[in-house]
Amino acid sequence: MTEPHRDRDLTRRLKAKAVELGFDRVGVAGAQTPPDYDRFRAWLDAGRAAGMQYMERHAEARAHPDRVFEEVRSVVMVSMVYGEPSDEPPRPSLGKIARYARGRDYHQVLRARLAELFDWLKAERPEVEGRAVVDTAPLLERDFGRLAGLGWIGKNTLLIDRRLGSFTFLGALLVDLDLEPDSPHVTSHCGTCTRCLDACPTGAFDGPYQLDAGRCISYWTIEHRGPIPDEQADRLDGWVFGCDVCQDVCPWNRKAPAGRVGELDAREEWIDPDLVEWLNRSKGDWKRALRGSALDRARRVGLVRNAALALGSARDEGATAALIDRLSDRGEDPVVRGAAAWALGRIGSATAREALEWFRDDDDAALREAVARALESGAGVRPSSAGC
Ligand code: SF4
């Protein structure tokens, strides 16, 4: 079999164009079965994906990028740094939002730039066909990042770039050209470090490279729909969307640069948000606030649920009136009403308990149950979070 002709010069210029468009790193991998596919399957089979059924549904498609774009010959992997490290601890009654979600929705930002990159390539090679992917198709992006030489997969399961750290977004351009591939990153630079595993507030790692989504704060606050079980609710550690702990403690992020794409910079409203205001905010205002934001993934219901749980966990008496309003609103989503009941139970003041008593015999069976549990739990139950 003859080796395909690989266009070295085009690859070099494509990479330069990607950097010009704002990407911080670019690498190329050949179209192949990602080496971590078997590990991914084993993780799924062990039930570690919690309620993320879409992972199971599209599992087979991750076996090869040709399931995403049939004619693929090369996978161009790009990464982009986001945000800026901050050492300031959040105030107790305020919620924490993962750094990646504080700016404009990264899907939009990366997709627009990948489209520009593809347009440039099309001008160079009019016959080229391809597909851009930003978390939107079943592709093992981290593994392809490693294959394209961008970094190694750390014990926290994230791709780590020696220079950029792990606060990066990944995107891929799948094309039907034989570009010059990079050497895969074969070494790991975690060494004997276990900081991420030790710092996780919920002990979500079964061991290095083994994340149990069912114990991960990011899963519960972003992906999970419906009520959050009581034992998890007390362990969210003030996070209302995602969690950064396993990245914050990673030494490779200590000297990482700040992001250089302004659209990804944190918006004021997503830094130390006022959670009581979140509870009181109208649905129309939520719709406007979530436009163009990655927080929309959790929808208003998930975010208000998380806010109620964070306030309850912090036993924030100042939130009592807003929580009672959510509980009393019969037009409110049952998930939010249940979370408000849980939070009032945790606050446990006379006013909170009195409000709960009003709903002991509510028409909604699930709410009745949530109220009964909240009244039983009462005050004095300390959060089990270890903090970080
Ligand atoms: Fe690796 Fe340590 Fe970073 Fe975890 S904290 S990913 S073990 S270097």
Side-chain angles (χ1 to χ4, degrees):
M1 222 166 82
T2 54
E3 275 288 298
H5 167 72
R6 302 196 189 281
D7 200 326
R8 211 167 275 178
D9 179 59
L10 181 67
T11 307
R12 185 185 53 76
R13 289 186 296 115
L14 176 78
K15 287 180 174 179
K17 183 67 190 174
V19 171
E20 186 191 313
L21 286 169
F23 293 112
D24 292 292
R25 282 289 301 270
V26 198
V28 175
Q32 59 193 279
T33 294
D36 263 358
Y37 179 70
D38 287 343
R39 196 207 293 245
F40 166 71
R41 272 253 52 127
W43 177 77
L44 269 186
D45 294 344
R48 295 290 186 261
M52 292 184 280
Q53 276 114 8
Y54 62 88
M55 289 269 197
E56 185 62 55
R57 273 199 305 276
H58 303 298
E60 199 277 331
R62 289 176 202 265
H64 198 282
D66 64 4
R67 316 297 203 272
V68 176
F69 172 55
E70 208 176 332
E71 286 78 30
V72 61
R73 300 190 66 84
S74 302
V75 180
V76 181
M77 289 300 304
V78 293
S79 72
M80 187 182 279
V81 176
Y82 60 88
E84 218 173 323
S86 162
D87 294 332
E88 273 185 41
R91 282 164 283 170
S93 66
L94 303 180
K96 295 178 270 188
I97 292 175
R99 203 186 296 178
Y100 86 85
R102 295 180 199 159
R104 185 160 175 227
D105 186 348
Y106 67 97
H107 297 95
Q108 298 173 2
V109 176
L110 268 75
R111 215 181 290 134
R113 282 171 169 75
L114 281 173
E116 271 191 70
L117 187 61
F118 186 66
D119 287 348
W120 177 90
L121 190 58
K122 195 92 181 154
E124 293 286 324
R125 293 281 190 282
E127 72 284 3
V128 69
E129 294 297 336
R131 180 173 171 189
V133 173
V134 184
D135 247 3
T136 44
L139 187 76
L140 290 184
E141 279 138 327
R142 292 170 199 170
D143 212 14
F144 274 102
R146 196 185 63 71
L147 285 171
L150 301 191
W152 74 98
I153 295 177
K155 290 177 189 173
N156 60 4
T157 75
L158 299 171
L159 187 84
I160 305 178
D161 182 308
R162 269 185 102 104
R163 186 172 64 82
L164 306 178
S166 65
F167 285 108
T168 55
F169 293 121
L170 294 177
L173 192 58
L174 278 53
V175 293
D176 59 356
L177 289 177
D178 286 308
L179 296 169
E180 180 75 11
D182 285 274
S183 303
H185 198 114
V186 288
T187 50
S188 161
H189 302 277
C190 284
T192 56
C193 173
T194 57
R195 282 169 198 237
C196 52
L197 315 183
D198 302 337
C200 178
T202 58
F205 293 99
D206 289 327
Y209 318 106
Q210 303 289 334
L211 177 69
D212 180 356
R215 280 181 275 147
C216 176
I217 290 173
S218 288
Y219 166 73
W220 288 108
T221 55
I222 301 173
E223 298 294 329
H224 179 71
R225 307 284 177 238
I228 293 183
D230 294 356
E231 66 276 14
Q232 297 295 342
D234 245 344
R235 306 177 77 194
L236 300 180
D237 204 33
W239 291 96
V240 289
F241 188 92
C243 172
D244 281 334
V245 173
C246 67
Q247 299 196 80
D248 281 338
V249 299
C250 179
W252 290 100
N253 285 326
R254 231 178 265 152
K255 292 195 175 134
R260 62 190 178 105
V261 172
E263 289 162 278
L264 296 171
D265 288 350
R267 291 182 188 170
E268 198 58 45
E269 62 187 313
W270 303 130
I271 304 170
D272 291 347
D274 178 346
L275 298 187
V276 172
E277 191 274 326
W278 276 25
L279 295 183
N280 291 329
R281 190 181 285 180
S282 71
K283 289 181 181 165
D285 284 346
W286 266 114
K287 201 169 175 188
R288 276 185 286 280
L290 293 178
R291 207 169 285 148
S293 164
L295 276 90
D296 195 32
R297 174 99 182 149
R299 309 285 160 83
R300 170 200 172 263
V301 168
L303 295 168
V304 178
R305 170 199 65 189
N306 299 345
L309 300 180
L311 290 162
S313 215
R315 292 174 168 72
D316 188 331
E317 286 202 43
T320 305
L323 288 166
I324 292 174
D325 282 350
R326 290 301 93 233
L327 173 65
S328 316
D329 184 351
R330 293 190 186 278
E332 180 55 272
D333 191 285
V335 170
V336 170
R337 295 183 79 196
W342 181 90
L344 288 165
R346 278 295 180 276
I347 289 171
S349 63
T351 313
R353 294 185 66 81
E354 197 180 316
L356 285 167
E357 289 291 353
W358 274 97
F359 294 91
R360 231 189 224 288
D361 301 317
D362 194 85
D363 296 343
D364 182 331
L367 187 68
R368 278 202 307 276
E369 207 183 296
V371 166
R373 282 203 315 278
L375 282 165
E376 268 166 37
S377 70
V381 183
R382 304 311 309 168
S384 57
S385 160
C388 52

